[in-house]
Amino acid sequence: MADFEDPFGSSVALARWVAGILRAQGIDYISKWRMLEYWMQVELYRAVNDNKAGAWRHVGDHEQPYYTQTPRSDRKSNVKWVDLLLAQPDPKSSKKIVWVELKDVGRNEHTLKANSVGIGQDLAALYKLNRSDSKALWLDPQASRVDRGRVAEWKEYAAALDCDDHFIAQIVLVPRGLAERNAEMVVALWLRTFERRVQVSPQSHNISIERSDTDEFAIFALVSRLRTS
Protein backbone atom coordinates (compact mmCIF):
# COMPACT_ATOMS: atom_id res chain seq x y z
CA MET A 1 0.00 0.00 0.00
CA ALA A 2 1.27 3.48 -0.89
CA ASP A 3 2.42 5.77 1.89
CA PHE A 4 -0.29 8.11 3.19
CA GLU A 5 0.09 11.69 1.96
CA ASP A 6 -0.32 14.25 4.73
CA PRO A 7 -3.11 16.55 3.47
CA PHE A 8 -1.48 19.47 5.27
CA GLY A 9 2.00 18.63 4.06
CA SER A 10 1.76 21.06 1.13
CA SER A 11 -0.70 23.30 -0.70
CA VAL A 12 -0.82 20.75 -3.55
CA ALA A 13 -1.67 17.90 -1.17
CA LEU A 14 -4.35 19.95 0.59
CA ALA A 15 -6.12 20.99 -2.62
CA ARG A 16 -6.08 17.40 -3.85
CA TRP A 17 -7.30 15.97 -0.52
CA VAL A 18 -10.16 18.44 -0.16
CA ALA A 19 -11.32 17.88 -3.74
CA GLY A 20 -11.33 14.13 -3.14
CA ILE A 21 -13.29 14.38 0.10
CA LEU A 22 -15.89 16.81 -1.25
CA ARG A 23 -16.28 14.88 -4.49
CA ALA A 24 -16.87 11.64 -2.57
CA GLN A 25 -19.44 13.36 -0.35
CA GLY A 26 -21.44 14.55 -3.36
CA ILE A 27 -20.66 18.24 -3.67
CA ASP A 28 -21.35 18.17 -7.40
CA TYR A 29 -24.92 16.97 -6.76
CA ILE A 30 -25.67 19.92 -4.49
CA SER A 31 -23.77 22.56 -6.47
CA LYS A 32 -26.70 25.02 -6.43
CA TRP A 33 -26.93 25.02 -2.63
CA ARG A 34 -25.87 28.47 -1.42
CA MET A 35 -24.67 27.40 2.04
CA LEU A 36 -21.77 25.26 0.88
CA GLU A 37 -19.22 26.88 3.18
CA TYR A 38 -20.99 25.39 6.20
CA TRP A 39 -21.51 22.07 4.42
CA MET A 40 -17.80 21.96 3.56
CA GLN A 41 -16.91 22.63 7.20
CA VAL A 42 -19.06 19.71 8.35
CA GLU A 43 -17.75 17.33 5.70
CA LEU A 44 -14.11 18.10 6.46
CA TYR A 45 -14.84 17.71 10.17
CA ARG A 46 -16.34 14.30 9.42
CA ALA A 47 -13.38 13.31 7.24
CA VAL A 48 -10.96 14.02 10.10
CA ASN A 49 -13.14 12.06 12.54
CA ASP A 50 -13.20 9.17 10.06
CA ASN A 51 -9.37 9.09 10.06
CA LYS A 52 -9.15 10.30 6.47
CA ALA A 53 -6.60 12.97 7.41
CA GLY A 54 -4.02 10.67 8.95
CA ALA A 55 -2.87 11.62 12.45
CA TRP A 56 -4.68 14.98 12.49
CA ARG A 57 -7.36 15.39 15.18
CA HIS A 58 -9.79 18.19 16.06
CA VAL A 59 -8.91 20.47 18.96
CA GLY A 60 -12.31 20.55 20.61
CA ASP A 61 -15.63 20.39 18.80
CA HIS A 62 -16.19 24.06 18.01
CA GLU A 63 -14.69 26.87 16.01
CA GLN A 64 -11.87 28.20 18.16
CA PRO A 65 -10.72 31.78 18.84
CA TYR A 66 -7.27 33.15 18.14
CA TYR A 67 -5.53 36.47 18.64
CA THR A 68 -4.19 38.24 15.55
CA GLN A 69 -1.94 41.26 15.33
CA THR A 70 -3.69 42.18 12.06
CA PRO A 71 -7.50 42.24 12.32
CA ARG A 72 -9.45 42.84 9.10
CA SER A 73 -9.68 46.56 9.88
CA ASP A 74 -8.67 48.92 12.67
CA ARG A 75 -12.26 48.92 13.91
CA LYS A 76 -12.34 45.13 14.30
CA SER A 77 -11.41 43.08 17.34
CA ASN A 78 -8.06 41.31 17.42
CA VAL A 79 -9.95 38.10 18.22
CA LYS A 80 -11.03 35.95 15.29
CA TRP A 81 -12.57 32.47 15.06
CA VAL A 82 -11.01 29.77 12.93
CA ASP A 83 -13.23 27.31 11.04
CA LEU A 84 -11.19 24.21 11.87
CA LEU A 85 -8.33 23.70 14.32
CA LEU A 86 -6.42 20.44 13.96
CA ALA A 87 -3.48 18.96 15.83
CA GLN A 88 -1.38 15.83 15.75
CA PRO A 89 -0.90 13.39 17.27
CA ASP A 90 -2.77 14.42 20.46
CA PRO A 91 -4.84 17.62 20.63
CA LYS A 92 -3.98 18.02 24.31
CA SER A 93 -0.21 17.75 23.84
CA SER A 94 0.36 18.31 20.17
CA LYS A 95 3.51 18.39 18.06
CA LYS A 96 1.82 20.16 15.13
CA ILE A 97 -1.20 22.44 14.83
CA VAL A 98 -2.93 23.82 11.73
CA TRP A 99 -5.41 26.72 11.79
CA VAL A 100 -7.81 26.38 8.84
CA GLU A 101 -10.09 29.00 7.27
CA LEU A 102 -12.77 28.07 4.70
CA LYS A 103 -14.55 30.22 2.11
CA ASP A 104 -17.24 29.80 -0.54
CA VAL A 105 -16.80 32.83 -2.81
CA GLY A 106 -20.32 32.86 -4.26
CA ARG A 107 -21.75 32.42 -7.73
CA ASN A 108 -21.00 35.59 -9.73
CA GLU A 109 -18.11 37.87 -10.69
CA HIS A 110 -19.17 40.64 -8.29
CA THR A 111 -19.11 38.47 -5.17
CA LEU A 112 -16.02 36.67 -6.46
CA LYS A 113 -14.01 39.87 -6.64
CA ALA A 114 -15.15 41.15 -3.24
CA ASN A 115 -14.54 37.79 -1.58
CA SER A 116 -11.09 37.47 -3.16
CA VAL A 117 -10.15 40.65 -1.31
CA GLY A 118 -11.78 39.23 1.84
CA ILE A 119 -9.78 36.00 1.77
CA GLY A 120 -6.63 38.10 1.42
CA GLN A 121 -7.63 39.89 4.62
CA ASP A 122 -8.31 36.54 6.29
CA LEU A 123 -4.86 35.34 5.24
CA ALA A 124 -3.29 38.46 6.73
CA ALA A 125 -5.04 37.76 10.04
CA LEU A 126 -3.83 34.15 10.05
CA TYR A 127 -0.31 35.17 9.06
CA LYS A 128 -0.14 37.47 12.08
CA LEU A 129 -1.70 34.96 14.50
CA ASN A 130 0.07 35.27 17.85
CA ARG A 131 0.43 31.91 19.59
CA SER A 132 1.23 33.19 23.08
CA ASP A 133 -1.58 35.76 23.07
CA SER A 134 -3.98 33.11 21.74
CA LYS A 135 -3.06 30.82 24.62
CA ALA A 136 -3.55 33.69 27.09
CA LEU A 137 -6.97 34.32 25.51
CA TRP A 138 -7.93 30.68 26.05
CA LEU A 139 -6.79 30.69 29.67
CA ASP A 140 -8.38 34.01 30.65
CA PRO A 141 -10.82 35.27 27.98
CA GLN A 142 -12.39 38.69 28.27
CA ALA A 143 -16.16 38.43 28.56
CA SER A 144 -16.68 41.10 25.91
CA ARG A 145 -14.64 39.17 23.35
CA VAL A 146 -15.46 35.48 23.57
CA ASP A 147 -17.88 32.96 25.04
CA ARG A 148 -16.57 32.49 28.58
CA GLY A 149 -18.84 29.47 28.95
CA ARG A 150 -16.16 27.45 27.15
CA VAL A 151 -13.27 28.33 29.47
CA ALA A 152 -13.11 24.76 30.79
CA GLU A 153 -12.61 23.41 27.26
CA TRP A 154 -9.96 25.98 26.42
CA LYS A 155 -8.03 25.27 29.61
CA GLU A 156 -8.13 21.56 28.75
CA TYR A 157 -6.51 22.17 25.35
CA ALA A 158 -4.44 25.32 25.97
CA ALA A 159 -1.16 23.46 26.53
CA ALA A 160 -1.33 22.21 22.94
CA LEU A 161 -0.71 25.77 21.73
CA ASP A 162 2.82 25.60 23.15
CA CYS A 163 4.06 23.38 20.33
CA ASP A 164 6.64 24.87 17.96
CA ASP A 165 5.11 23.77 14.66
CA HIS A 166 2.05 25.86 13.85
CA PHE A 167 0.68 26.07 10.32
CA ILE A 168 -2.03 28.14 8.68
CA ALA A 169 -4.28 26.99 5.85
CA GLN A 170 -7.03 28.32 3.62
CA ILE A 171 -9.48 26.32 1.50
CA VAL A 172 -11.53 28.29 -1.02
CA LEU A 173 -14.42 26.99 -3.11
CA VAL A 174 -15.04 28.53 -6.57
CA PRO A 175 -17.55 27.36 -9.21
CA ARG A 176 -15.52 25.96 -12.11
CA GLY A 177 -17.09 28.27 -14.67
CA LEU A 178 -16.03 31.29 -12.65
CA ALA A 179 -12.63 29.76 -11.97
CA GLU A 180 -11.90 29.17 -15.66
CA ARG A 181 -12.54 32.84 -16.42
CA ASN A 182 -11.14 34.41 -13.26
CA ALA A 183 -8.53 32.16 -11.62
CA GLU A 184 -5.67 34.62 -12.14
CA MET A 185 -7.75 37.47 -10.74
CA VAL A 186 -8.72 35.47 -7.65
CA VAL A 187 -5.13 34.54 -6.81
CA ALA A 188 -3.80 38.03 -7.59
CA LEU A 189 -6.35 39.82 -5.39
CA TRP A 190 -5.97 37.22 -2.63
CA LEU A 191 -2.19 37.60 -2.45
CA ARG A 192 -2.02 41.34 -3.19
CA THR A 193 -4.50 42.16 -0.42
CA PHE A 194 -2.58 39.95 1.99
CA GLU A 195 0.81 41.44 1.04
CA ARG A 196 -0.39 45.02 1.41
CA ARG A 197 -2.11 44.29 4.72
CA VAL A 198 0.97 42.77 6.38
CA GLN A 199 3.52 44.71 4.30
CA VAL A 200 5.48 41.77 2.91
CA SER A 201 6.87 41.19 -0.56
CA PRO A 202 5.99 38.17 -2.72
CA GLN A 203 9.58 36.97 -2.37
CA SER A 204 9.56 37.03 1.44
CA HIS A 205 6.44 35.03 2.32
CA ASN A 206 6.84 32.00 0.02
CA ILE A 207 3.09 31.22 0.09
CA SER A 208 1.83 29.00 -2.74
CA ILE A 209 -1.85 28.70 -3.73
CA GLU A 210 -2.72 25.47 -5.54
CA ARG A 211 -5.85 24.13 -7.23
CA SER A 212 -7.72 20.85 -7.67
CA ASP A 213 -11.15 20.37 -9.26
CA THR A 214 -14.36 18.41 -8.92
CA ASP A 215 -16.87 18.35 -11.79
CA GLU A 216 -18.52 21.58 -10.66
CA PHE A 217 -15.97 23.34 -8.45
CA ALA A 218 -12.37 24.45 -8.25
CA ILE A 219 -10.75 24.13 -4.82
CA PHE A 220 -7.94 26.58 -4.17
CA ALA A 221 -5.79 25.83 -1.12
CA LEU A 222 -2.69 26.94 0.70
CA VAL A 223 -0.66 25.75 3.69
CA SER A 224 2.16 27.76 5.25
CA ARG A 225 4.23 27.54 8.41
CA LEU A 226 3.30 30.18 10.96
CA ARG A 227 6.21 32.51 11.71
CA THR A 228 4.91 34.66 14.56
CA SER A 229 5.45 33.86 18.25
Side-chain angles (χ1 to χ4, degrees):
M1 189 172 113
D3 291 339
F4 179 81
E5 182 179 31
D6 181 356
F8 294 96
S10 70
S11 299
V12 171
L14 181 58
R16 185 163 49 225
W17 178 77
V18 171
I21 293 296
L22 299 186
R23 186 187 303 114
Q25 293 306 116
I27 192 172
D28 297 317
Y29 295 100
I30 56 170
S31 60
K32 294 182 180 179
W33 176 241
R34 299 304 178 99
M35 304 293 285
L36 285 179
E37 186 172 322
Y38 303 102
W39 180 87
M40 179 167 58
Q41 184 180 29
V42 171
E43 291 302 337
L44 295 181
Y45 178 92
R46 172 159 52 182
V48 172
N49 273 358
D50 288 345
N51 298 317
K52 294 179 180 177
W56 293 100
R57 296 292 180 267
H58 293 286
V59 180
D61 294 317
H62 301 80
E63 295 182 355
Q64 302 291 13
Y66 68 90
Y67 186 94
T68 179
Q69 296 168 332
T70 309
R72 285 188 62 155
S73 77
D74 294 337
R75 297 185 301 275
K76 296 284 187 178
S77 168
N78 290 82
V79 176
K80 283 181 57 64
W81 296 80
V82 75
D83 293 314
L84 296 170
L85 180 58
L86 309 177
Q88 63 166 274
D90 182 347
K92 294 182 182 179
S93 58
S94 60
K95 294 182 179 179
K96 292 182 180 180
I97 282 181
V98 60
W99 306 77
V100 186
E101 289 279 10
L102 310 174
K103 188 67 177 179
D104 175 6
V105 297
R107 301 295 184 271
N108 58 65
E109 270 83 0
H110 176 73
T111 58
L112 179 64
K113 185 173 182 179
N115 283 324
S116 297
V117 172
I119 56 179
Q121 294 171 334
D122 289 339
L123 178 56
L126 282 172
Y127 190 79
K128 289 293 187 175
L129 185 154
N130 186 287
R131 300 194 301 256
S132 57
D133 286 346
S134 295
K135 181 181 178 181
L137 174 70
W138 285 28
L139 292 174
D140 187 21
Q142 298 179 19
S144 61
R145 284 182 166 177
V146 295
D147 177 8
R148 288 185 58 87
R150 288 172 52 202
V151 172
E153 178 187 78
W154 291 324
K155 287 185 176 180
E156 180 181 5
Y157 290 105
L161 302 189
D162 289 330
C163 73
D164 291 331
D165 283 340
H166 284 242
F167 298 82
I168 57 174
Q170 284 184 291
I171 300 164
V172 175
L173 194 66
V174 184
R176 278 189 70 175
L178 282 180
E180 298 305 332
R181 299 189 299 272
N182 299 284
E184 290 185 5
M185 180 270 287
V186 170
V187 172
L189 281 177
W190 186 346
L191 289 177
R192 190 181 308 136
T193 302
F194 154 68
E195 290 159 359
R196 289 175 177 172
R197 191 76 181 92
V198 299
Q199 297 183 335
V200 296
S201 68
Q203 296 77 24
S204 65
H205 61 69
N206 198 32
I207 287 175
S208 170
I209 297 170
E210 302 294 342
R211 173 180 169 180
S212 187
D213 293 353
T214 71
D215 290 343
E216 299 292 336
F217 291 95
I219 289 90
F220 293 85
L222 69 85
V223 179
S224 180
R225 186 182 295 273
L226 183 65
R227 299 183 181 184
T228 57
S229 61

